[in-house]
Each structure stands twice: as C-alpha cells, then as structure tokens.
C-alpha cells in the first residue's frame, strides 16, 4: 500500500478520522479505483504507453510553486497514452513534495489542451479498454485535485473535451483573453469520463453543468466569471513575451494564497479537501487533526512571539 504525505500525516495524528482515513488508505495515494474494482494499474499503464507522443513537464521552483506543462503542440496538447502515464507520474512526485505550496497547470505553445489524442482513442475504442483508460484518468485527476497544494489552471487558447475536464481538477481557473473552455463530449457521442462532470457540478452547480454539457457551450472569460467556472481573467501584454507574461500573472495571483510556510499552506488545503469530500462530522474531526499538526508548530510559535492579534 502506498500512502501520500497527506494520508500518512493524518493517519499518524489520529485513528478516529474514519471516513477520511478510509478515503486515504485506498491504494495508490487515495485513488478512486483499485484491484477490488477490477482495475490493474500496471496493465493499463503498459497499454497506454503503446501510444507515445508529447510529454508532461514538471518544474518545481524554490518559491514552492510548481509549473506543470501539457506539452504536445503538434496536436494542440492532446493527451497521448504515454502522456496520461506521465501525468500520473508527475502527480506522484508532487504528492511527495514536502516544500510545495502551489501548482500552476498550463499548456505549451499558447493553448491549453484539446483532450485525448484521437489516434490513441481510435486504437482503444473497445469499451473495456475505454473503461480502463477512464478509470486511470479519474484516479490521476482525483489525486491532482487532492494534492496538498493550492492549484490553478492557466487557460490560454482552447481547453476542449478532456482539456476542459483537466481545468476542473484544479482548485482555480484563470482564463487568458480570448481563451475558451468547452466540454465538446456530446459532439463526440460521449459524456465526460475523467471525472469532469462530477467536478463541474461542484464548481458551477447542476443547472449550469447541464447547460455546458448538454449544449457543448463555449465558455469565454466573461461567461466563465458569470457562472463561476473562471476565477480571474489575465490580459496579455504587447511589450513582453505573451506566454511569459501570462505565467507571471498567474504566479502573482497564486502567490496571494501561498504566502507563508509550506506546512501551513498544505494544512489549509487539507482541511478544504476534507470539507469538499466528507460529511460534516468527519470533516470536523479531520479539521481537528490537521489543526493539531500546526498548533505549537514553528510558524504558530513565531507568530505568537512576534505580534499581538488584539491590538
């Protein structure tokens, strides 16, 4: 059994955190699916790696903010099979990053992601293989959302299909001017399969989710702000290189929420994850347990020694 740092810390702090403990004790760092569901991760990885192309690039910075780049420009950053495996590997690395505080997910070459590479999709059109790919990506994106890092999707250009689903696996979404998020699954005779529909309902509500999925509506920045899918709009500069400017804007925006020691920022994310996924009684127990990991810690003691909150 492999447990992510979040699960290890919480399980050490208390054995009473029932639902949260059970959630995180699932194999492969809290995955949704395991062998008890007939899911063989090694077997699925081998099948996916038969469809190469592109890469998922990870840059961990001293600031505690990492940059995850979907890199397959010749196919509008569509996910090949090997890229799906790369994504799972990079999520595993981020789960072990004790100094991490934030994560920016972006696409290369001024576009976000156009979903799955159709050449790979056609090759695994068998329903059983499709289900296995679905389970693999649900696991990877669920773990991405549960990372003890505050994450933001930097949406430039188009985020289509699985790319739109990927944006929902981040805590926030920042949209560049003229960018579009579109759940085009209906046009492919499909529904989201990477967990995007469930996450979308949590973000925009069931009524708006029905509109976006049933109408395959194009969400521009203004519409995104209106329905709550976008958390901010970034403007490109005519002076500086466009991509670098957008990334710097996204970094500055995220830095507002990642100031402070990594253990404190990670604790913030942990209590929010529990509140998002667990019943109230279990959420309260988890909050108590996470509180216990920072109470009397270095950041808490330093704050108490340096300032008075009652002035």
């Amino acid at each position: 059994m492999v447990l992510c740092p979040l699960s290890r810390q919480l399980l050490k702090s208390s054995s009473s955190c029932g639902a949260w403990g059970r959630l995180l004790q699932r194999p492969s760092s809290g995955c949704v699916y395991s062998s008890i569901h007939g899911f063989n991760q090694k077997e699925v990885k081998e099948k996916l790696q038969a469809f190469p192309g592109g890469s998922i690039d990870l840059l961990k910075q001293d600031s505690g903010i990492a940059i995850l780049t979907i890199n397959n420009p010749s196919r509008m950053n569509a996910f090949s099979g090997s890229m799906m495996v790369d994504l799972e590997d990079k999520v595993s690395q981020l789960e072990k990053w004790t100094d991490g505080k934030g994560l920016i997910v972006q696409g290369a070459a001024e576009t976000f992601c156009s979903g799955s590479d159709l050449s790979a999709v056609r090759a695994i059109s068998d329903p059983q293989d499709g289900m296995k790919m679905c389970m693999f990506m649900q696991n990877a994106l669920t773990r991405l959302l549960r990372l003890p890092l505050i994450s933001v999707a930097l949406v430039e250009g188009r985020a289509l299909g699985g790319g739109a689903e990927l944006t929902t696996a981040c805590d926030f979404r920042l949209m560049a001017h003229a960018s579009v998020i579109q759940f085009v699954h209906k046009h492919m005779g499909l529904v989201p399969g990477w967990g995007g529909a469930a996450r979308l309902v949590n973000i925009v509500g069931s009524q708006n989710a029905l509109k976006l999925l049933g109408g395959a509506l194009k969400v521009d920045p203004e519409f995104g702000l209106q329905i709550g899918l976008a958390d901010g709009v970034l403007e490109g500069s005519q002076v500086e290189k466009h991509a670098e400017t957008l990334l710097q804007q996204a970094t500055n925006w995220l830095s507002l929420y990642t100031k402070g020691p990594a253990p404190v920022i990670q604790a913030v994310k942990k209590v929010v994850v529990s509140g998002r996924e667990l019943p109230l009684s279990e959420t309260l127990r988890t909050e108590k347990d996470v509180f216990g990991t920072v109470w009397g810690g270095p950041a808490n003691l330093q704050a108490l020694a340096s300032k008075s909150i009652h002035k």
Side-chain angles (χ1 to χ4, degrees):
M1 178 183 293
V2 180
L3 294 177
C4 66
L6 167 58
S7 63
R8 285 197 297 267
Q9 188 169 357
L10 287 180
L11 291 174
K12 283 180 182 178
S13 63
S14 174
S15 60
S16 65
C17 188
W20 187 246
R22 291 191 295 275
L23 172 72
L24 293 173
Q25 286 184 66
R26 290 169 182 165
S28 301
S29 306
C31 291
V32 180
Y33 303 104
S34 65
S35 57
I36 65 174
H37 304 101
F39 178 71
N40 185 321
Q41 180 160 294
K42 182 179 179 181
E43 174 189 310
V44 178
K45 276 187 174 184
E46 290 175 353
K47 288 191 176 184
L48 290 173
Q49 286 173 326
F51 305 100
S55 63
I56 305 295
D57 305 327
L58 177 63
L59 174 63
K60 291 188 284 189
Q61 303 177 115
D62 292 340
S63 64
I65 294 179
I67 312 297
L68 187 76
T69 303
I70 315 303
N71 190 359
N72 194 9
S74 66
R75 296 186 178 273
M76 288 183 57
N77 297 329
F79 270 87
S80 66
S82 64
M83 288 171 68
M84 295 179 188
V85 176
D86 276 352
L87 176 66
E88 192 269 344
D89 177 66
K90 298 306 190 295
V91 170
S92 294
Q93 292 181 37
L94 289 168
E95 286 171 337
K96 301 170 185 175
W97 190 26
T98 57
D99 296 326
K101 298 188 287 184
L103 173 68
I104 297 174
V105 179
Q106 65 171 4
E110 299 184 9
T111 195
F112 188 73
C113 174
S114 59
S116 301
D117 186 338
L118 292 182
S119 61
V121 169
R122 293 187 186 100
I124 58 173
S125 58
D126 175 86
Q128 284 191 330
D129 286 338
M131 287 285 284
K132 291 174 181 177
M133 181 269 288
C134 167
M135 295 163 81
F136 183 88
M137 288 300 288
Q138 282 192 15
N139 275 351
L141 293 183
T142 299
R143 290 169 59 194
L144 175 64
L145 186 57
R146 288 176 178 169
L147 284 172
L149 310 171
I150 299 177
S151 60
V152 58
L154 167 53
V155 183
E156 184 179 11
R158 289 185 283 182
L160 307 177
E165 294 192 64
L166 176 59
T167 70
T168 68
C170 295
D171 298 309
F172 301 105
R173 284 146 295 283
L174 298 177
M175 297 184 69
H177 179 70
S179 62
V180 170
I181 299 174
Q182 186 179 12
F183 294 82
V184 297
H185 304 77
K186 186 182 77 168
H187 295 327
M188 300 297 295
L190 295 169
V191 296
W194 296 356
R199 294 188 297 269
L200 184 64
V201 170
N202 287 332
I203 295 167
V204 303
S206 60
Q207 296 296 94
N208 283 325
L210 276 174
K211 292 175 183 177
L212 297 188
L213 297 177
L217 301 182
K218 292 183 178 180
V219 180
D220 61 16
E222 182 180 359
F223 187 28
L225 287 174
Q226 179 184 333
I227 63 175
L229 186 59
D231 297 280
V233 180
L234 306 179
E235 297 294 338
S237 168
Q238 299 298 319
V239 179
E240 300 177 72
K241 187 177 177 183
H242 186 51
E244 292 178 352
T245 303
L246 291 174
L247 181 58
Q248 187 58 56
Q249 287 182 63
T251 300
N252 293 341
W253 188 92
L254 182 57
S255 295
L256 294 173
Y257 308 104
T258 58
K259 289 179 181 177
V264 176
I265 303 305
Q266 290 187 17
V268 168
K269 176 63 182 287
K270 292 169 188 176
V271 295
V272 170
V273 170
S274 70
R276 187 165 55 200
E277 298 195 23
L278 298 177
L280 178 59
S281 60
E282 300 294 348
T283 298
L284 292 173
R285 293 189 188 106
T286 300
E287 186 171 316
K288 176 261 297 179
D289 293 336
V290 176
F291 177 82
T293 68
V294 291
W295 177 265
N300 177 228
L301 294 177
Q302 182 178 358
L304 290 172
S306 64
K307 64 185 73 173
S308 171
I309 62 174
H310 299 298
K311 286 182 179 180

